[in-house]
Amino acid sequence: MKPAPFTYHAPRTIDETLTLLAELPEAKVMAGGQSFVPVLNMRLASPQHLIDINHVEGLDTVAVTDQGVTIGALVRHAELEHHDGAYAAIPLLRQAVSRVAHPAIRNRGTTVGSIAHADPSGEMPAILALCDGTLTARSVRGERTIKAADFFVGPMESTLEHDELVTHATFARFAPGTRTAYDELARRSGDYAVVGVAVAVTVEDDTITAARASFVSVTDAPDVLDLSGMLTGHPAIAPDEQTAAQLAQAVAEHVDPVDDIHASAEYRREVASILTRRVLTTALAHTPEGAHR
């Protein structure tokens, strides 16, 4: 199938983009287009106006600060994946973005675009949630900062207003001593994950002081499960069988998968529990976040 007819706009500045969004409430924004173009082709969306922001200046930067990593709306997955400064600040970014689809898609797709798309099957929305990240949204009415916890509402639903443009996303640095890992199960390399799990576990003096997890493809919207209650005080080694059983139960109760052509809800729930233990073990073996600074 092909998209329904639409009027194409290619603004050159953020102000021009915001004016178009204010004047055209039925318009949609496209950056990399790796998620949006298939939606257009299948006519799951039929906007009357398409605003292509690829020529807008100032949206293609990666900034690494003491607070975190801020990326512009036109930063490609591949650029973030290979950005040494971003990796040094938050290794989890590379751990996760390297699993996004195929290299060809990472070369074109944008990280902020995938987050704004709010697909719970995408890796980077879950990573933003785990990092307690924020999104910067602008309109002709002004600018606001939206916490990840407040941004995602449901599958491909967010609190972004129709006249707002997400210009940047900021991934906050983890606490010193935090170790992270991400892994996923997919039917084929590059496919959407059947289940994905990211963890961040903070260690002091070889003892766990905090632990959290976020999930891909098994929740309606990206969120975070706090595992600190059952892991705080444990040694920084792979969980024993009793702790692993507690983790499995907590994960099984937290996730809310559905049946589809790829896997049953029961299978996804079981994999999420197993994968959480595996990823936690991997994280504990990793160098703490920030050690590369």
Side-chain angles (χ1 to χ4, degrees):
M1 297 180 66
K2 298 298 180 182
F6 57 79
T7 301
Y8 176 79
H9 304 268
R12 298 280 176 170
T13 67
I14 292 178
D15 287 342
E16 185 181 352
T17 304
L18 301 183
T19 298
L20 287 169
L21 286 171
E23 295 176 348
L24 306 170
E26 71 282 6
K28 295 294 184 182
V29 174
M30 183 182 74
Q34 300 305 290
S35 297
F36 188 53
V37 168
V39 170
L40 290 177
N41 286 340
M42 291 184 286
R43 300 204 177 188
L44 297 175
S46 299
Q48 296 182 28
H49 296 269
L50 181 64
I51 302 175
D52 182 350
I53 63 171
N54 277 280
H55 302 291
V56 175
E57 297 180 355
L59 297 179
D60 59 351
T61 59
V62 178
V64 180
T65 68
D66 290 340
Q67 288 70 47
V69 177
T70 298
I71 62 173
L74 292 179
V75 173
R76 313 296 169 177
H77 292 305
E79 182 179 354
L80 179 61
E81 178 184 0
H82 297 292
H83 195 288
D84 290 337
Y87 171 67
I90 308 177
L92 181 61
L93 294 178
R94 182 178 293 177
Q95 292 164 4
V97 78
S98 64
R99 305 297 292 274
V100 173
H102 303 280
I105 290 177
R106 293 199 296 274
N107 284 338
R108 184 62 185 173
T110 62
T111 301
V112 172
S114 69
I115 293 171
H117 193 54
D119 187 347
S121 297
E123 289 87 353
M124 300 316 291
I127 301 306
L128 186 75
L130 189 61
C131 289
D132 287 328
T134 59
L135 294 165
T136 300
R138 290 183 58 181
S139 71
V140 295
R141 296 175 287 109
E143 179 179 289
R144 65 181 178 129
T145 299
I146 312 170
K147 295 180 180 179
D150 299 326
F151 183 77
F152 303 108
V153 176
M156 299 184 186
E157 291 184 89
S158 72
T159 56
L160 192 70
E161 299 291 342
H162 71 84
D163 63 341
E164 288 182 314
L165 172 70
V166 178
T167 58
H168 298 83
T170 297
F171 299 82
R173 287 182 186 260
F174 291 104
T178 300
R179 308 175 187 186
T180 62
Y182 175 81
D183 200 1
E184 64 184 36
L185 173 69
R187 291 175 61 86
R188 296 173 301 182
S189 176
D191 281 2
Y192 279 113
V194 174
V195 180
V197 180
V199 300
V201 53
T202 304
V203 175
E204 294 181 13
D205 298 326
D206 295 323
T207 300
I208 296 173
T209 59
R212 305 195 310 158
S214 62
F215 303 89
V216 175
S217 295
V218 288
T219 56
D220 285 341
D223 61 8
V224 175
L225 173 62
D226 193 339
L227 302 172
S228 301
M230 63 190 73
L231 290 174
T232 296
H234 283 252
I237 57 175
D240 57 32
E241 292 304 317
Q242 181 179 353
T243 304
Q246 293 176 335
L247 286 170
Q249 181 177 352
V251 171
E253 292 174 352
H254 177 80
V255 301
D256 187 24
V258 297
D259 296 319
D260 62 19
I261 61 173
H262 302 296
S264 67
E266 180 181 4
Y267 177 78
R268 290 181 192 270
R269 183 174 283 106
E270 179 70 15
V271 171
S273 297
I274 294 171
L275 204 55
T276 300
R277 178 182 183 181
R278 182 183 302 170
V279 175
L280 177 64
T281 300
T282 301
L284 289 170
H286 276 175
T287 302
E289 298 275 359
H292 303 279
R293 290 184 227 170

